[in-house]
Amino acid sequence: QLNSDAPSKMINNPNTPMIASLVQVLSKDFCTSMNSNFRKGGLIGLAATAIGLMPDHTPLFLDELLRPVLHCFDDPEARVRYYACESLYNISKVARGAILIHFNQIFDGLTKLFADVDADVKNGANLLDRLIKDIVTESENFNVELFLPMLQNYIRRSNPFIRQLLVGWITVLDGLPDVNMIDYLPDFLDGLFNMLSDSNREIRQAADSALCEFLKDMQSSTVMEFGPIVSILVLQCHAKERLNRLTAITWLADLINHPHSGGDSLQPFYALVLGAILRCISDNEIEIRKVSERTNLELLHFVKDTTDTFDLSPILETLTKDLLGKDDVPTKLACLRWINMLLEKRRTDMDPFIQGELLPALLKTLNDKSDAVLLLDLQVLSRVSLPQLPSTLNIKTDLDKSGAKTPYEDHLENMAKRKELTKMEESDQFQMVLKAIIDNFASDRNLLEKRGSLIVRKLCVLLNAKSVYIRMAKILSNYGSFSENDAFALEFVATMVQTLNLILLTAAELHSLRVTLAETFALKHSLTVDALTTESGPNHKTGHMKSPNKMLPKQSEIENEGVQVFESLFNCWCHNPVATFSLCLLARAFDIAFALVKKFSELEVTVGFLMQVDKLVHLLESPIFVHLRLQLLHVEAPYHTQLLKSCYGLLMLLPQSDAFRSLNDRLTTVCNLRDNLGIKPGTIASPAEGVTNTQFSSLSQSGMDSNVLLARFDDIMAKHRKARELIQKQTIQQDLSNMSSIHRKSEAISLEKPPQIPTTFKSGNSAPQSLKIQLDKSNQNSAQATNNSIPNRGL
């Protein structure tokens, strides 16, 4: 400790002016001399003067002693710089804590010495650096705030020796008990991260060690300002070096799990943190990907469980940008999980963003090559389509003590499910999503061809298959204007119906819908058989015949959901004749199926039509239509005639092929069975006209008018026919217009260049016979070429 009375005694000492003059002579006459030996001598003299003054009196002359020494740090002579370093070491060793007033100037000189090219100077600088660190560690009044501007200035330097000096000083200051470097962390954190990419291994290790210590201190800190730190970490997550990205994402994970403030302090920075995490999820390094995925899940669960409100706009902007801008699967899956969580957590607040930002991005993601991305995208679209209603699809009722439901409780549960499904079908969101998907199919036929089946099947699993098909059928029924001028819409709907019908007949996900359709008219067929049995025999009680009309149930008892499904699908399926026929077979509406087969003769039989019929025959041999094959055995049933003639009509449409022989063999077996049993064909359907008795028509018993359905079919087929004729006319007119323009151009060329007549021909004389023959042949060839260029659209 310095003696407090020493400065005053030194001032009153008569030798003080002489000492000041001596220091001035050494500074001006020697340290600034042109002779390097004089400068060395001056530096040695200043150091000796400080030693002679002792600690009690040195502070009085410290300014005059340090100024020439620090000036010599820039001397061109290496030995002079070394002597200056040695002189400062001796002065500091004597003055100790008094030099802290000039700490910034001394530290600036240290940076110059550490960057020196001379090895002796560097060694001297290391010794001086250790001494200054010891002095700062011993001191109790070191002012860090005065040093921070200089630290910020030098920490951006790329010199490895200066970086080594800075890391060492940051570590020393962090160890001081009276200095809390966490409060100043944003001022130099970015510089420490940049040191992680240094080519010197020792600097990288020192910076990493310092960052680990700060991370531990941060976990124990109760008050922190996360904003500047988050900005630095987000920037480092985009760095080129692996260690920078790994350290930054590790810091973000610890900030999310901070024991005192946690993710609540990150609420204003959710979008920034999420963007950095999504960037690292697709990193090439496995370790970074694992840390990023864990961090993403932690942040997602935290946001999901938080009760505080936060701004959705920047988060959705980040998610949609990465969903459309990135090609890697992990990033897209993470974005979709976030969107799904936000829809589940804050559905009402998400509604304003659906049509403008969210839905277009989700529709574009349907084109992704990854099946995992597509399936998760469909899950998000399904959640978008669901209305904001209390969930009663899995409604639970009170159970009795045995745990079994009573019939009344089953009835309540079924009614609740039907009501909610009806609300879902009628909701605007449900219709909006399905219509957007259909529009996407219309604009991208490649998507419909490659992913259409998977998309529809997954929607039927996530939502209700019946609701999806009914709503799609209604959308397609009203798609476009459906006039003969809108050929594109008609052709797309026909293709879409063909796709939906194939899914309906083959996909396991639509088993429940097939069962519903198969049971649509099954009850009516059994009632019709009972009516015929009663008509053929007397009542065992009265002995009188019962009227068939009395056996038919009331209209309210017959109606079921299958009838509504069949009617909705039939109105849309009319755009594809083969699909309409297969729907009737699936729903066991054999009477209208027979009527449709007869109308096929009025249609244009194309290769595509025959290929669909061929595919349908092969499907008849599949397990889907096992009930149809078994019903062919019921030769005594009233519907058997319509069923058999429908199948024979299908057979007559086919050319000689494997499908023809397969179906012919099966029908031959059925006819042989009926002949062996001695059963005559039923008289319900007239062989001549095919008109079904309405008393025994399952379709009529359900309250549906077959004439209305057939009229709908005829109307749709007429529109398709007119559209094809219009396209053919337009194509012919376009070809003729092209030919006329070519002809006019050729005439213009001929007028510009008149034919050259040989000079041997005189005016008024005819051309030789050989030339006439050549001209006739050229005219015939040109006429023939013109006729061949016009396609025969009528054929």
Side-chain angles (χ1 to χ4, degrees):
Q1 258 186 343
L2 296 175
N3 189 355
S4 57
D5 296 333
S8 59
K9 292 181 179 180
M10 190 63 189
I11 294 174
N12 298 325
N13 194 319
N15 295 327
T16 300
M18 184 176 61
I19 297 173
S21 299
L22 176 62
V23 171
Q24 188 175 10
V25 169
L26 292 173
S27 301
K28 292 183 178 180
D29 296 344
F30 286 87
C31 290
T32 59
S33 174
M34 298 295 295
N35 192 322
S36 61
N37 293 323
F38 281 20
R39 295 195 296 274
K40 296 176 188 177
L43 291 171
I44 296 173
L46 291 174
T49 302
I51 295 173
L53 289 172
M54 301 299 289
D56 293 340
H57 307 294
T58 301
L60 185 63
F61 304 96
L62 194 59
D63 291 343
E64 290 79 6
L65 292 172
L66 288 179
R67 190 179 302 109
V69 174
L70 295 176
H71 176 74
C72 288
F73 283 169
D74 296 324
D75 197 274
E77 292 287 338
R79 295 305 298 173
V80 174
R81 297 194 299 272
Y82 174 78
Y83 275 90
C85 181
E86 184 180 1
S87 177
L88 181 60
Y89 180 88
N90 292 320
I91 295 172
S92 301
K93 193 171 183 179
V94 174
R96 305 300 292 183
I99 66 169
L100 295 181
I101 302 175
H102 309 278
F103 179 81
N104 284 0
Q105 293 86 344
I106 295 175
F107 189 84
D108 183 67
L110 278 174
T111 58
K112 297 175 182 179
L113 296 177
F114 265 76
D116 202 287
V117 295
D118 188 77
D120 293 335
V121 176
K122 289 182 179 179
N123 293 332
N126 286 324
L127 294 175
L128 177 62
D129 179 59
R130 295 195 195 101
L131 176 62
I132 301 300
K133 287 178 181 177
D134 292 340
I135 295 173
V136 171
T137 304
E138 295 171 359
S139 176
E140 297 179 357
N141 55 357
F142 180 73
N143 194 340
V144 180
E145 295 182 356
L146 294 178
F147 173 62
L148 281 178
M150 180 167 288
L151 179 63
Q152 292 176 347
N153 181 29
Y154 281 105
I155 205 165
R156 296 184 177 90
R157 303 286 179 88
S158 59
N159 188 289
F161 301 103
I162 296 179
R163 284 184 168 182
Q164 190 174 8
L165 173 68
L166 293 174
V167 173
W169 271 100
I170 291 173
T171 305
V172 169
L173 294 177
D174 186 46
L176 295 179
D178 297 334
V179 178
N180 188 10
M181 290 296 287
I182 290 292
D183 297 338
Y184 312 104
L185 184 61
D187 296 331
F188 56 86
L189 180 62
D190 189 49
L192 282 178
F193 269 97
N194 291 334
M195 293 181 188
L196 294 176
S197 59
D198 196 276
S199 58
N200 192 318
R201 181 180 179 183
E202 295 180 357
I203 296 176
R204 294 198 303 269
Q205 291 177 347
D208 185 55
S209 177
L211 287 171
C212 291
E213 292 297 326
F214 281 117
L215 188 59
K216 293 178 183 178
D217 296 341
M218 187 180 63
Q219 291 293 331
S220 59
S221 178
T222 57
V223 179
M224 282 194 65
E225 186 180 358
F226 283 171
I229 297 178
V230 168
S231 300
I232 295 172
L233 296 177
V234 169
L235 184 64
Q236 291 298 325
C237 285
H238 294 79
K240 295 182 180 180
E241 297 297 328
R242 168 191 172 277
L243 187 57
N244 292 55
R245 301 194 302 273
L246 178 59
T247 308
I249 195 66
T250 305
W251 274 62
L252 286 177
D254 289 344
L255 288 181
I256 295 172
N257 299 315
H258 196 277
H260 298 290
S261 57
D264 292 334
S265 301
L266 294 177
Q267 179 178 328
F269 315 104
Y270 280 159
L272 288 175
V273 175
L274 182 58
I277 294 174
L278 294 176
R279 162 64 179 81
C280 293
I281 282 180
S282 59
D283 200 276
N284 296 327
E285 296 290 336
I286 299 177
E287 187 177 2
I288 297 177
R289 290 202 301 268
K290 290 182 178 179
V291 177
S292 302
E293 290 173 358
R294 184 177 68 251
T295 307
N296 177 60
L297 291 177
E298 292 173 352
L299 182 61
L300 186 142
H301 290 308
F302 180 84
V303 174
K304 182 179 180 180
D305 298 335
T306 186
T307 56
D308 299 333
T309 58
F310 51 89
D311 190 8
L312 290 172
S313 179
I315 298 178
L316 290 177
E317 183 179 357
T318 301
L319 292 174
T320 53
K321 179 182 178 181
D322 287 344
L323 183 62
L324 298 177
K326 299 293 183 64
D327 293 331
D328 57 287
V329 174
T331 302
K332 291 188 176 183
L333 291 176
C335 292
L336 291 172
R337 292 191 186 100
W338 270 91
I339 295 173
N340 192 42
M341 182 274 295
L342 293 175
L343 285 170
E344 181 182 0
K345 179 179 178 62
R346 297 175 60 179
R347 175 53 193 268
T348 304
D349 297 333
M350 289 284 287
D351 285 341
F353 301 97
I354 290 178
Q355 291 188 356
E357 302 177 11
L358 201 55
L359 188 58
L362 294 175
L363 292 175
K364 290 181 180 179
T365 310
L366 292 175
N367 293 301
D368 196 86
K369 298 179 181 179
S370 173
D371 289 342
V373 174
L374 175 62
L375 295 178
L376 187 56
D377 186 45
L378 290 173
Q379 182 178 347
V380 178
L381 283 170
S382 301
R383 187 172 293 280
V384 172
S385 66
L386 294 175
Q388 188 71 18
L389 294 173
S391 178
T392 55
L393 287 175
N394 297 321
I395 186 173
K396 296 181 179 180
T397 56
D398 295 333
L399 303 180
D400 53 17
K401 295 181 180 180
S402 63
K405 295 181 181 180
T406 63
Y408 177 71
E409 290 171 342
D410 286 334
H411 175 70
L412 288 179
E413 181 176 354
N414 293 331
M415 291 297 295
K417 288 182 179 180
R418 290 183 180 180
K419 288 181 179 179
E420 180 152 335
L421 287 176
T422 303
K423 291 180 180 179
M424 183 181 69
E425 294 173 11
E426 296 176 354
S427 66
D428 296 336
Q429 296 93 332
F430 188 72
Q431 182 176 359
M432 175 187 65
V433 171
L434 292 184
K435 188 173 187 309
I437 293 176
I438 291 176
D439 292 339
N440 204 16
F441 285 151
S443 59
D444 189 356
R445 293 298 183 89
N446 190 34
L447 176 64
L448 176 60
E449 179 182 351
K450 293 183 178 180
R451 294 298 187 93
S453 177
L454 178 59
I455 291 173
V456 174
R457 288 190 288 111
K458 187 62 177 178
L459 287 175
C460 292
V461 172
L462 296 171
L463 303 171
N464 182 266
K466 178 179 75 70
S467 302
V468 170
Y469 259 68
I470 288 180
R471 177 54 60 183
M472 279 191 168
K474 291 181 179 179
I475 294 173
L476 290 173
S477 298
N478 300 321
Y479 194 82
S481 61
F482 280 163
S483 63
E484 56 271 13
N485 295 326
D486 196 359
F488 175 81
L490 291 171
E491 187 271 335
F492 165 71
V493 174
T495 305
M496 192 71 192
V497 168
Q498 181 182 352
T499 303
L500 293 176
N501 183 68
L502 185 61
I503 298 171
L504 175 62
L505 297 180
T506 58
E509 294 84 354
L510 279 85
H511 174 73
S512 60
L513 183 57
R514 287 195 297 270
V515 171
T516 300
L517 287 171
E519 295 175 351
T520 302
F521 305 113
L523 176 63
K524 288 75 181 178
H525 288 314
S526 62
L527 292 173
T528 305
V529 174
D530 294 340
L532 288 176
T533 305
T534 307
E535 185 180 8
S536 60
N539 188 290
H540 67 281
K541 292 183 180 180
T542 61
H544 298 287
M545 302 290 293
K546 283 189 176 181
S547 173
N549 293 333
K550 294 182 180 180
M551 293 299 298
L552 297 177
K554 296 181 181 179
Q555 179 68 23
S556 59
E557 298 176 357
I558 295 176
E559 288 181 351
N560 53 44
E561 61 178 350
V563 176
Q564 300 175 0
V565 174
F566 176 79
E567 185 175 7
S568 299
L569 296 186
F570 186 92
N571 290 333
C572 179
W573 262 230
C574 288
H575 288 274
N576 190 292
V578 180
T580 311
F581 179 77
S582 62
L583 176 66
C584 295
L585 293 183
L586 184 63
R588 307 184 188 184
F590 304 127
D591 44 0
I592 195 170
F594 174 49
L596 286 174
V597 167
K598 294 193 302 177
K599 291 183 177 294
F600 285 175
S601 61
E602 304 172 3
L603 303 178
E604 181 182 359
V605 179
T606 61
V607 177
F609 177 82
L610 293 178
M611 290 177 64
Q612 293 184 44
V613 175
D614 186 274
K615 185 179 294 185
L616 176 60
V617 171
H618 286 291
L619 286 175
L620 292 178
E621 301 296 327
S622 65
I624 301 298
F625 285 99
V626 66
H627 71 280
L628 180 70
R629 300 196 298 270
L630 292 177
Q631 283 177 330
L632 287 172
L633 300 177
H634 300 167
V635 293
E636 73 283 355
Y639 60 79
H640 190 267
T641 301
Q642 292 93 346
L643 173 59
L644 190 61
K645 295 182 72 174
S646 298
C647 295
Y648 265 109
L650 204 64
L651 183 67
M652 294 300 104
L653 292 173
L654 287 171
Q656 295 290 334
S657 61
D658 293 338
F660 176 88
R661 286 185 286 273
S662 174
L663 183 59
N664 184 46
D665 293 343
R666 188 172 294 279
L667 295 179
T668 302
T669 305
V670 173
C671 293
N672 292 336
L673 173 64
R674 188 172 61 185
D675 294 340
N676 292 333
L677 294 177
I679 299 176
K680 296 182 179 180
T683 58
I684 296 179
S686 173
E689 300 178 359
V691 179
T692 305
N693 190 344
T694 57
Q695 286 184 340
F696 307 108
S697 172
S698 58
L699 203 67
S700 300
Q701 294 176 29
S702 302
M704 299 176 64
D705 190 352
S706 60
N707 293 327
V708 175
L709 297 179
L710 293 175
R712 165 74 176 177
F713 179 81
D714 293 337
D715 181 57
I716 296 298
M717 289 296 102
K719 290 182 178 180
H720 279 272
R721 183 173 60 253
K722 292 180 180 179
R724 286 194 298 269
E725 293 175 355
L726 181 61
I727 292 177
Q728 292 176 356
K729 291 180 181 179
Q730 292 176 350
T731 305
I732 293 174
Q733 292 176 357
Q734 184 66 28
D735 292 341
L736 293 175
S737 176
N738 294 336
M739 290 300 302
S740 62
S741 62
I742 294 174
H743 183 65
R744 286 194 299 268
K745 289 181 180 179
S746 61
E747 288 182 349
I749 294 174
S750 62
L751 290 175
E752 292 175 359
K753 296 181 179 180
Q756 299 293 333
I757 301 177
T759 55
T760 55
F761 300 154
K762 297 181 180 179
S763 60
N765 297 333
S766 61
Q769 187 67 22
S770 59
L771 181 59
K772 290 184 177 180
I773 294 174
Q774 292 177 1
L775 292 174
D776 294 338
K777 287 183 178 181
S778 62
N779 292 333
Q780 291 177 2
N781 293 334
S782 62
Q784 185 177 0
T786 303
N787 293 330
N788 293 334
S789 63
I790 301 177
N792 193 345
R793 299 295 178 180
L795 294 178

